Structures are given as structure tokens and as C-alpha cells.
Amino acid sequence: MSYKEKKVLPIGSVSELTGLSLRKIRYYEERGLILPERSGGGTRKFSFNDVEKLMDIANQIEDGMQTFEIKKMYKKDKQKDKGKIRDEMIRGQLNAAFKMSK
Amino acid sequence: MSYKEKKVLPIGSVSELTGLSLRKIRYYEERGLILPERSGGGTRKFSFNDVEKLMDIANQIEDGMQTFEIKKMYKKDKQKDKGKIRDEMIRGQLNAAFKMSK
DNA sequence: CGTGTAAGGAATTCTGACACG
DNA sequence: CGTGTAAGGAATTCTGACACG
């Protein structure tokens, strides 16, 4: 297993790397978008993969997507289901295009 | 800059990854063998490169090398000086061989 | 729904020192 | 010299809640 998958970063480092507030990061976990591990004492430990995922999430949130939609996308992404996901993909792109047009 | 160089790991994670005690890690920093960054509040932040370096250091210590020698080696290593370093290289190997022969 | 914030507590980390050897 | 440990304090993180919208 490479470094990118190791769950070792504290939430403070993740916040600095992503630019997201601690509140946002915890909330995205609460919604099941990311799954950090926990130390014996209960503190969250993230991987660099989580960091990358969070940056993607941040973009999708900016595009007006909702957490449950994003979560669905990741689920579909995993099972490589090219069907229903299309709606969200297109919706995401439309939102992005709309945003840029302003 | 890749993930390996990012100073983001707390000392606890480094301790788990390397198997070294917090005391040892702090001591090796005190001797100048590693240079973690500090957060605003003063907590150490290490990189995966530091983790790798610490595992090397641990081996050299096991081989009976002293911290100041190890430090010299890293200095020489940087300036690619192939001269005096030889003593320590050989000494390290001899110590290792000696240890295995037991 | 997504996010900020104040609140109280618990886990993590920090430093300087004493101990042993 | 290298490392363990107890000590007291400071920084970091945790959760549940109230607020706004």
C-alpha cells in the first residue's frame, strides 16, 4: 500500500491542504462522503486520497450538488455503473457551465 | 512537490509508521538528524520522507552508529562527497556484519 | 441543507528534568 | 550517549447544540 492510502493525517493538516474548514470536513464525513479512520482516542486520521476526494467534493458542492447526490456518484463510480450516473454527471457539468457563464 | 515531501504528519502517526518511540523521534530531531516543521502552536509536522529517513536512522543506530556520525553521513551524502564518508560506510557495514554473525 | 460558532471535555503533543549507564 | 518516565501546561480535536436560512 502506497503513502496515498495511509490514514495518518490529522484534520488540521487536511484543513490546510484542502482549504476547507474543520466543520465542513466533519460534515462530509457525517454524510458518508469520506471515511477517515480513528485513533485509539477517537481522533480522525485521513489519507492523501481523502484529501484529493475532499477537493473534488468541494468543487461539486460549489456546483450546487448536494451531499447525497455526491455520495450516490461515488457509489456508482465504484460499481462502474455507467447508467443512472449520467444524470448527475450532466447535471454537474450544466451547473458548472451555468456558473462560469455568470 | 509530491506528497512525500509534505510536512503534515503528527508525531503519533510517525511513531506508528516507524515503530519508534516519541522520545526517540524527538531526540533524533534534537541531534539535527531530521527537521520537522512546526504548526503555529508548536506541534511537529513530519513528511513521509522523514518517516523513511527515520527508519534508516533506526537501522544505523542498531548497527552501533552514533547520532553525530549519522548526521555527518547525511551532510556528506548531500554534497555527494565520496571521500571521508567511506569510513562510516565501511564501519556501518562491518557493524552490521558483526551483528549478523552472532 | 450546509456551515459557523461557543462550550466543555478528552486526547495529543510540548518542554525540561531526573534516572540509568 | 541514547532512552524511559513522571509532571504540568498548552495546542489540537471531539461531540452535541443552537443559529441562520
Side-chain angles (χ1 to χ4, degrees):
Chain A
M1 187 194 306
S2 111
Y3 293 141
K4 275 187 68 175
E5 285 82 41
K6 292 247 174 231
K7 303 275 191 175
V8 289
L9 315 183
I11 196 168
S13 293
V14 174
S15 175
E16 283 187 4
L17 291 170
T18 62
L20 299 174
S21 67
L22 305 182
R23 181 68 165 100
K24 286 181 179 177
I25 297 170
R26 293 191 187 116
Y27 181 66
Y28 299 152
E29 180 199 18
E30 185 184 319
R31 305 317 316 276
L33 302 183
I34 45 174
L35 285 105
E37 288 181 357
R38 297 282 182 146
S39 74
T43 63
R44 275 167 270 248
K45 295 298 175 189
F46 302 78
S47 67
F48 277 111
N49 263 342
D50 292 329
V51 170
E52 290 188 358
K53 200 167 175 181
L54 280 168
M55 297 181 92
D56 285 350
I57 292 170
N59 285 326
Q60 296 175 297
I61 292 280
E62 269 190 81
D63 292 347
M65 227 169 294
Q66 288 186 295
T67 56
F68 82 94
E69 296 180 284
I70 299 174
K71 185 175 180 183
K72 258 193 297 180
M73 286 189 64
Y74 284 124
K75 255 192 239 151
K76 302 296 170 45
D77 229 27
K78 249 196 234 165
Q79 28 180 106
K80 292 205 157 38
D81 182 325
K82 297 295 187 191
K84 291 188 182 174
I85 190 177
R86 192 150 298 156
D87 321 327
E88 285 101 351
M89 291 293 288
I90 291 170
R91 171 161 180 194
Q93 287 167 201
L94 284 177
N95 275 314
F98 174 70
K99 197 166 182 263
M100 283 190 289
S101 72
K102 298 198 296 187
Chain B
M1 187 194 303
S2 112
Y3 293 141
K4 276 187 67 175
E5 285 83 42
K6 291 247 175 234
K7 303 276 190 175
V8 289
L9 315 183
I11 195 168
S13 293
V14 174
S15 175
E16 285 186 4
L17 291 170
T18 61
L20 299 174
S21 67
L22 305 182
R23 181 68 164 100
K24 287 181 179 177
I25 298 171
R26 293 191 188 115
Y27 181 66
Y28 299 152
E29 180 200 17
E30 183 184 321
R31 305 316 316 275
L33 302 183
I34 45 173
L35 286 104
E37 290 182 356
R38 298 282 183 145
S39 74
T43 64
R44 273 167 270 249
K45 295 299 174 188
F46 301 79
S47 67
F48 278 111
N49 263 342
D50 292 329
V51 170
E52 290 188 357
K53 201 167 175 181
L54 280 168
M55 297 182 93
D56 285 351
I57 292 170
N59 285 328
Q60 295 175 297
I61 292 280
E62 269 189 84
D63 293 346
M65 227 170 294
Q66 289 186 294
T67 55
F68 83 94
E69 295 180 284
I70 299 174
K71 185 175 180 183
K72 257 193 297 181
M73 287 190 61
Y74 283 126
K75 254 192 240 152
K76 302 293 169 49
D77 229 27
K78 248 198 234 165
Q79 29 180 102
K80 292 204 157 39
D81 183 324
K82 297 295 184 190
K84 292 187 182 174
I85 189 177
R86 192 150 298 156
D87 320 326
E88 285 100 350
M89 292 291 289
I90 291 170
R91 173 162 178 192
Q93 288 166 202
L94 284 177
N95 275 314
F98 173 71
K99 197 168 182 259
M100 284 190 290
S101 71
K102 297 198 296 189

